[in-house]
Amino acid sequence: MLRYIYDGTFDGFLSVIYNCYYDKMPECIEREDRYTYNMLFDDNIIMSDLVISNKVSKAIAQKISTDTLIHVYQSFLSEIEGIELKLLKYIQLGFKMGSIVNDYLVNESVNDIQKYSRKVATEAHKFLGLVRFQEFNGILYAAIEPTYNISELIANHFKERLANEKWIIHDVKRKFGIVYENNEWILRDLKFEKLESHEEEELFYQNLWKVFHKSVSIKERKNEKLQIKNMPKKYWNNLIEME
């Protein structure tokens, strides 16, 4: 049985898709960081190729639809185990059916891909209001721990909001993040634990925010179930006002 191993990036995955069409179809596709040796598989390591990945992304957008490419990208960011094979089946079907593939929800692959795409997009939207920055020597730093790999999806929002600042959004779980300076952002490995500022001015403003949050809350209208529904407890760890 053939298994493709790739580097875990979206460009790497699209390079795998290219090989599926111009070489052989695999029984399994795995990221190298999840790879374990299995004597039942004949492993083929696929190198990430930007030229090839651009060809594949353009083909998906032009021959199926732009919405399909968005679904592919967003569901890929879910990092759900086995998402690669689901995406392969979805893309194959899309090349056969064209843009109407997204209406074919009775198909398991189409249904799953759209479901994960919505979940990733929803979480990214929530984090636009959940990121809390601290200041370290003139640099704004925020730690996040999202379920899905949403950093790229929120980067441009904060680029527009904080265009004149230097800032970092650190995905603590994945140990990488967005680093922004001089009107450009890049993704970088950040191999350190969550940071906590102890600067006097920063602590003053944190305390001020906690006091404000407490003062505007109305005890009689407290609805913890609704609060948890709109802002699940898994996000509270990095919210200053919830400490």
Side-chain angles (χ1 to χ4, degrees):
M1 295 190 295
L2 178 62
R3 175 169 59 174
Y4 285 156
I5 311 296
Y6 75 108
D7 61 5
T9 66
F10 188 59
D11 288 319
F13 170 69
L14 293 183
S15 300
V16 169
I17 295 299
Y18 182 90
N19 276 268
C20 290
Y21 277 84
Y22 292 97
D23 192 0
K24 295 180 180 179
M25 296 295 294
E27 281 74 31
C28 183
I29 304 171
E30 285 192 21
R31 296 161 45 135
E32 61 184 3
D33 60 350
R34 294 177 178 173
Y35 166 79
T36 54
Y37 175 74
N38 188 327
M39 64 182 297
L40 297 177
F41 286 108
D42 179 18
D43 292 332
N44 187 355
I45 298 174
I46 305 299
M47 303 301 294
S48 181
D49 188 312
L50 292 178
V51 174
I52 287 176
S53 69
N54 285 334
K55 285 182 180 179
V56 176
S57 62
K58 286 180 181 178
I60 293 172
Q62 293 171 1
K63 296 182 180 180
I64 310 176
S65 69
T66 303
D67 284 344
T68 299
L69 181 59
I70 292 171
H71 286 316
V72 169
Y73 177 55
Q74 291 183 165
S75 56
F76 174 81
L77 295 177
S78 72
E79 300 180 333
I80 300 296
E81 188 171 352
I83 193 66
E84 293 89 353
L85 278 180
K86 290 181 182 292
L87 282 167
L88 174 58
K89 293 176 182 178
Y90 171 65
I91 293 168
Q92 285 179 314
L93 192 61
F95 280 133
K96 290 180 182 178
M97 298 181 66
S99 61
I100 63 171
V101 67
N102 291 307
D103 299 324
Y104 193 43
L105 296 177
V106 293
N107 181 273
E108 182 180 357
S109 296
V110 175
N111 194 29
D112 284 348
I113 294 307
Q114 292 203 25
K115 176 181 68 176
Y116 290 125
S117 177
R118 285 194 301 271
K119 286 185 175 183
V120 171
T122 297
E123 185 175 52
H125 179 72
K126 285 181 178 179
F127 265 85
L128 299 183
L130 290 175
V131 175
R132 298 289 185 268
F133 288 95
Q134 302 179 50
E135 186 170 2
F136 291 83
N137 297 321
I139 298 175
L140 299 179
Y141 167 87
I144 61 173
E145 298 176 54
T147 302
Y148 307 118
N149 187 359
I150 61 166
S151 293
E152 288 188 69
L153 297 181
I154 66 175
N156 285 329
H157 171 82
F158 289 101
K159 176 183 176 180
E160 292 178 5
R161 280 193 61 196
L162 302 169
N164 298 320
E165 306 287 346
K166 296 178 182 179
W167 52 263
I168 296 170
I169 297 178
H170 181 195
D171 187 331
V172 179
K173 185 168 75 171
R174 294 173 180 83
K175 295 192 180 300
F176 81 110
I178 314 161
V179 178
Y180 174 85
E181 185 177 10
N182 298 326
N183 206 38
E184 295 290 339
W185 63 264
I186 59 171
L187 289 175
R188 292 190 59 179
D189 289 334
L190 301 173
K191 304 293 187 181
F192 52 85
E193 300 301 320
K194 173 184 173 181
L195 301 179
E196 293 287 352
S197 176
H198 298 290
E199 294 183 18
E200 185 176 346
E201 185 176 7
E202 173 61 30
L203 294 176
F204 169 77
Y205 282 111
Q206 285 187 23
N207 187 61
L208 199 63
W209 175 246
K210 291 177 186 178
V211 171
F212 170 77
H213 182 263
K214 186 177 182 180
S215 68
V216 297
S217 64
I218 302 172
K219 184 178 180 180
E220 291 74 18
R221 298 186 64 182
K222 184 176 181 180
N223 187 337
E224 190 168 330
K225 287 185 178 179
L226 181 61
Q227 184 181 32
I228 292 173
K229 180 180 178 181
N230 293 327
M231 187 173 60
K233 280 191 173 182
K234 64 183 178 180
Y235 301 135
W236 291 14
N237 187 45
N238 295 305
L239 296 176
I240 295 168
E241 64 269 30
M242 303 308 293
E243 292 179 355

